Structure formats: C-alpha cells, structure tokens
Amino acid sequence: MSLPILKHFTYEHLPTHLKVVSQPICELAIALDQSLPDSPEKSAGLRKLLEAKDCLVRAALENNA
C-alpha cells in the first residue's frame, strides 16, 4: 500500500458481516492506487471512496443491530 490513506481500507480486523462489505472496496482502492498516477484528483477520489466505505459499513451495522 503506497498511499497512507490505504491503511484505512483494511478489513481483516472486522467481523465477517462487515468484511463482506469492506473487502471489495479495499481491493478497489488498492487497484486504483496501483493503476492511476499520483495526483490531487486520485487523493480526492480515494478519500471519497473511504467516506463511502465508512457509510456502507455503518449501513451493515444498522442491519445487524
């Protein structure tokens, strides 16, 4: 993982019902980081993807509450 933001996409520590939400987003973030050149737009896109991941994990939490 080359950009510091990618550490926030990890999912290994999550329970299974949250891993299934978080893992594909982590894999997408890594693929995008590897395939796109470093730029402010790449950083902004990954930041927004992280925000989306957080929202989706919270949605999964509500489903299991």
Side-chain angles (χ1 to χ4, degrees), residues 34-60:
Q34 293 173 347
S35 65
L36 296 171
D38 289 342
S39 70
E41 290 301 316
K42 175 178 155 179
S43 296
L46 289 173
R47 192 169 46 254
K48 290 173 187 264
L49 183 60
L50 180 60
E51 292 171 8
K53 189 261 317 177
D54 291 343
C55 292
L56 295 167
V57 168
R58 285 192 300 271

Side-chain angles (χ1 to χ4, degrees), residues 7-59:
K7 68 183 174 193
H8 299 295
F9 286 95
T10 61
Y11 57 87
E12 294 84 4
H13 62 287
L14 296 172
T16 302
H17 71 284
L18 299 179
K19 279 183 186 177
V20 298
V21 174
S22 192
Q23 182 177 359
I25 300 169
C26 177
E27 292 169 356
L28 175 61
I30 292 168
L32 292 169
D33 178 49
Q34 293 173 347
S35 65
L36 296 171
D38 289 342
S39 70
E41 290 301 316
K42 175 178 155 179
S43 296
L46 289 173
R47 192 169 46 254
K48 290 173 187 264
L49 183 60
L50 180 60
E51 292 171 8
K53 189 261 317 177
D54 291 343
C55 292
L56 295 167
V57 168
R58 285 192 300 271

